[in-house]
Amino acid sequence: MSSNKNLLVLPGDGIGPEVINEAKRIVDWMAEKRHFKFNIEEDLVGGACYDVHGSAVTDATMEKAKQADAILLGAVGGPKWDNVERAARPEAGLLRLRKDLDLFANLRPAIVFDALLDASTLKPEVVKGLDIMILRELTAGVYFGEPRGVEVRDGVRYGLDTQIYSEPEIVRIMDVAFDMARKRNGKVTSVEKANVMESGAFWREVATKTHQDGNTDVELNHMYADNCAMQLVRWPGQFDVIVTDNLFGDILSDCAAMLTGSLGMLPSASIGSRDEQTGRIPAMYEPVHGSAPDIAGENKANPLATILSFSMLLRYSFDLGEDADMLDQAVETVLGKGLRTPDIMTDGAQEVSTQGMGEAVVAELDKLA
Ligand code: NAD
């Protein structure tokens, strides 16, 4: 197979470059063994970019991001940049990429591999076979709403953020949820706080209307966010696709992370709308975890979330489902053989480094190809 796809790689900070190196090992393997050609560009983002350019992402990098068929990002942030002004902080680079590319749909699968049943803090019978997709709205809501800031009212200082959603913003994320459920187990749970938030009641009304507009082949139910957090740890198997806003999605997907045992196992994809002129659908793939400054540079980070993010990239941006399946299989086999980075270490397993895990996945790919 041969094709030329533009891939922009943004390693970022902390463990970002370490885990990206292991994904690049897979990219190289694919180029050599599957004859799939990627045009790879690598650039700075986050604190690494701030140190060189004084901002968390440059205009030139944003241009490259707009031309790319897909972006693979490591992680950004770290204590070194804690005192940088908010607009130039590492996280601002990530927010700009998401916002300017209008990556409104954030896909966060939470899958429990049989080999890692013991890594979950929940009982094996609660999480066995778990496969949930959390769909988080990513470009609106309280992280972007105006007004925001700190202001003085009658001599008292207030910290202020605004939770706001337009009807089209809710409709388009619900449409993605219904499409995704159709390819899975046909069930969508829409999550908000309709009981205490006006924006929550509005979300529920629009979600119901979007369901009735041609999506009734999929089951829709509604749940309050606090109950959803509880249900995720009580009986996660009840969920198929969970769709929710930016803030609740941020929290609930981290909660779902613990079902799988480690943040180091969780991939994600952020996808936008098709450009009518070029036909391109902007998409960025990244592990859910951050830059883990506590273990950065120690060759201890789990690269599997990034490798599985690359698998999502193959599946959703490059339409290479067969190769993605093979990569997922290689990861499952490596885990089945008892290889573990320290974050998922269990009794009797064999501890490997970041690099060791990447090499083991490539060795399994060699056997599968
Ligand atoms: P974190 O995800 O970086 O780390 C939380 C804990 O999980 C740490 O103990 C860390 O060692 C561990 N961990 C995370 N990824 C791991 C991996 N791949 N393998 C093994 N262990 C792993 O979250 P944090 O500590 O709250 O944040 C650290 C920095 O990362 C902050 O600057 C934060 O703003 C940033 N951050 C960035 C992103 C992103 O780039 N998408 C996401 C979250 C946090």
Side-chain angles (χ1 to χ4, degrees), residues 90-344:
E91 293 74 10
L94 206 53
L95 292 183
R96 182 171 175 201
L97 279 158
R98 291 173 181 166
K99 188 75 182 168
D100 286 10
L101 298 174
D102 200 18
L103 305 176
F104 70 92
N106 184 216
L107 283 57
R108 293 187 171 200
I111 296 169
V112 172
F113 292 94
D114 275 353
L116 290 184
L117 266 183
D118 289 340
S120 175
T121 50
L122 298 193
K123 292 183 190 132
E125 61 267 29
V126 177
V127 290
K128 187 168 171 48
L130 193 76
D131 181 357
I132 301 177
M133 180 67 83
I134 298 199
L135 181 58
R136 167 188 172 193
E137 199 293 327
L138 202 60
T139 50
V142 74
Y143 291 168
F144 295 100
E146 296 285 348
R148 58 187 291 143
V150 176
E151 59 183 52
V152 180
R153 295 179 188 174
D154 296 330
V156 178
R157 293 204 313 142
Y158 288 81
L160 181 76
D161 292 285
T162 301
Q163 166 78 335
I164 182 166
Y165 271 101
S166 70
E167 185 162 0
E169 283 165 344
I170 302 170
V171 169
R172 68 178 182 174
I173 194 79
M174 289 307 301
D175 276 335
V176 175
F178 292 128
D179 277 350
M180 204 173 291
R182 232 167 244 126
K183 294 177 196 140
R184 294 171 47 94
N185 295 318
K187 186 173 165 190
V188 170
T189 304
S190 171
V191 173
E192 24 59 11
K193 287 282 286 179
N195 49 344
V196 288
M197 294 173 75
E198 295 298 332
S199 57
F202 181 63
W203 178 289
R204 185 174 289 212
E205 177 206 314
V206 176
T208 304
K209 193 161 149 257
T210 313
H211 183 234
Q212 284 159 359
D213 282 350
N215 291 303
T216 48
D217 56 315
V218 173
E219 184 187 335
L220 170 69
N221 56 44
H222 305 274
M223 195 175 272
Y224 299 139
D226 46 347
N227 185 27
C228 184
M230 219 154 55
Q231 296 298 332
L232 269 173
V233 288
R234 192 182 76 88
W235 177 30
Q238 70 186 282
F239 296 111
D240 178 19
V241 175
I242 293 175
V243 58
T244 189
D245 72 13
N246 206 340
L247 174 62
F248 294 140
D250 195 358
I251 297 164
L252 293 173
S253 56
D254 271 12
C255 177
M258 277 331 287
L259 306 177
T260 70
S262 169
L263 263 175
M265 291 299 302
L266 285 178
S268 82
S270 305
I271 293 175
S273 308
R274 183 183 297 277
D275 181 315
E276 293 304 335
Q277 280 177 348
T278 63
R280 186 179 286 135
I281 301 176
M284 183 159 80
Y285 298 82
E286 53 181 315
V288 167
H289 62 74
S291 58
D294 53 335
I295 56 166
E298 294 181 21
N299 202 12
K300 277 185 184 166
N302 186 344
L304 292 180
T306 309
I307 289 173
L308 292 170
S309 299
F310 181 66
S311 164
M312 291 181 83
L313 183 156
L314 295 174
R315 192 181 303 283
Y316 294 117
S317 282
F318 295 171
D319 215 11
L320 291 172
E322 206 181 299
D323 296 77
D325 286 346
M326 194 164 66
L327 183 50
D328 293 350
Q329 179 61 54
V331 168
E332 192 155 3
T333 306
V334 165
L335 293 170
K337 286 185 168 175
L339 270 59
R340 304 277 188 275
T341 42
D343 58 312
I344 51 173

